[in-house]
Amino acid sequence: HAKNGGKNTFKVYCSTMTTESKHRYSLEKDLRNALQTNQLFIEYQPKVSPETQLLTGGEALLRWKHPKLGRVSPGEFIPLAEESDLICHIGDWVIENVCRQMQKWESEGLPLIPISVNISALHLTKVDLITKVKQALTHYHIPPYLFEIEITETSLIQSSELIFSRLESLKQLGVRISLDDFGVGYSSLTHLLKFKLDALKIDKSLIANLPQKKEDSIIISTLVRMAKGLGISLVAEGVETTAQLEYLKQEECHFVQGYLFSQPVSPLNFSRLVKKGILPVQAH
Ligand code: C2E
Ligand code: MG
Ligand code: MG
Ligand code: MG
């Protein structure tokens, strides 16, 4: 079938395409256009200290408001973009946008806090990524240690030598690297830890059944100890209940993120949360 390619490939809209592949084809076309026509925007979700409930950082999450379909979830459009170089253009746009936003917040008198962006495996293989990050941080005067890149396990498995050297270059710029969705992949722990990461983000599927599910509770307390020993910080994703929070607090997990505190919100609402500083848990 007609595979999406980079600049030098073309696509054939062929009559044997299934409804599903037609949908994917036109969505990918729309996504290329979305980048040029301001349909993409970013929301920010707070990271919180479980002990103090202080807002300690944020994650930038990409959003797409399609003119006809309304909101399309990143779970749907990111994999589409990852089939070609489109994901690199999108990633560059996110980096630029986030750095510009951080400068804007600072100019409004907000304390600068660490913000993370998600970067796909394909983008990580490109040397242009390093240039982009460096240029954006310099241009918007962002201290590199406040900028964090979230990568997934797949990135560390695929073409590891190349990726490792890119990660090394990013580290030399001073940015932080964290491993997202930790605990759901299949790679070996030793392989993952070959690269000195700054943070591990425990996937929400391992948080969902805390504290009732014995195995998951054991995994979490083991990970906390491991992270402490290695000098890595640990972030729990998808925290939705006070029972989960209590368990993570008791185990001394460093940071939590989830609907219990806040959904991803607009830059304006995020700045309001930063001003407040302390995030009360939502009624659930
Ligand atoms: P992720 O990086 O693991 O981001 C966390 C996801 O969990 C986000 O989904 C967030 O809205 C959701 N979430 C946060 N708290 C809770 C909670 O308490 N419960 C539940 N059930 N979910 C929660 P979202 O925004 O739909 O993004 C999905 C994925 O799309 C992200 O997972 C990330 O892998 C990818 N993504 C999002 N933005 C970007 C981007 O700019 N670039 C790339 N390459 N990928 C992105
Ligand atoms: Mg993430
Ligand atoms: Mg995740
Ligand atoms: Mg994910």
Side-chain angles (χ1 to χ4, degrees), residues 152 180-181 203:
T152 57
D180 205 354
D181 304 342
D203 191 74

Short mmCIF file of all heavy atoms in Angstrom, two decimals, residues 152 180-181 203, ligand 4:
data_model
loop_
_atom_site.label_atom_id
_atom_site.label_comp_id
_atom_site.label_asym_id
_atom_site.label_seq_id
_atom_site.Cartn_x
_atom_site.Cartn_y
_atom_site.Cartn_z
N THR A 152 10.70 7.37 24.96
CA THR A 152 10.10 6.10 25.37
C THR A 152 11.11 4.97 25.19
O THR A 152 12.13 5.13 24.53
CB THR A 152 8.84 5.78 24.57
OG1 THR A 152 9.17 5.77 23.19
CG2 THR A 152 7.74 6.79 24.83
N ASP A 180 9.79 7.78 29.56
CA ASP A 180 8.34 7.81 29.71
C ASP A 180 7.76 6.39 29.66
O ASP A 180 8.39 5.48 29.14
CB ASP A 180 7.78 8.63 28.53
CG ASP A 180 6.43 9.26 28.84
OD1 ASP A 180 5.86 8.99 29.90
OD2 ASP A 180 5.96 10.04 27.99
N ASP A 181 6.55 6.24 30.18
CA ASP A 181 5.81 4.98 30.10
C ASP A 181 6.63 3.79 30.60
O ASP A 181 6.55 2.69 30.06
CB ASP A 181 5.35 4.71 28.65
CG ASP A 181 4.53 5.84 28.08
OD1 ASP A 181 4.03 6.66 28.87
OD2 ASP A 181 4.39 5.92 26.85
N ASP A 203 4.55 4.21 34.11
CA ASP A 203 3.34 4.22 33.30
C ASP A 203 2.07 4.12 34.16
O ASP A 203 2.05 3.43 35.18
CB ASP A 203 3.36 3.06 32.30
CG ASP A 203 2.26 3.22 31.27
OD1 ASP A 203 2.40 4.08 30.39
OD2 ASP A 203 1.23 2.50 31.37
MG MG B 4 2.87 7.60 26.07
#
